[in-house]
Amino acid sequence: MATLTIQVKDIDTEFLLEVLKRINAKIIQTSKKQLLLDKIKQGIKEAKDIKAGKTAPLSLNDI
């Protein structure tokens, strides 16, 4: 048996869950703690990219 981790757009979530239920896949929900940690990691990566000049800094219009 294999375990897969995927990311889908919010609008596609219900469709994907329905497909997974039809093939009797086991659905494991991600904990809120893990989601928070993932967002923190993403924020740190974005800050490093801005500092390194790989990404343009955010403006007030972005916020």
Side-chain angles (χ1 to χ4, degrees), residues 22-54:
R22 288 182 185 220
I23 62 170
N24 295 322
K26 181 179 179 184
I27 300 169
I28 303 170
Q29 298 292 329
T30 304
S31 71
K32 290 184 179 184
K33 180 180 176 182
Q34 186 60 47
L35 290 173
L36 178 61
L37 291 174
D38 290 344
K39 293 290 183 181
I40 292 171
K41 278 189 222 177
Q42 179 183 356
I44 291 171
K45 182 186 179 306
E46 289 174 6
K48 286 180 180 179
D49 287 348
I50 290 171
K51 188 173 182 179
K54 295 179 182 177

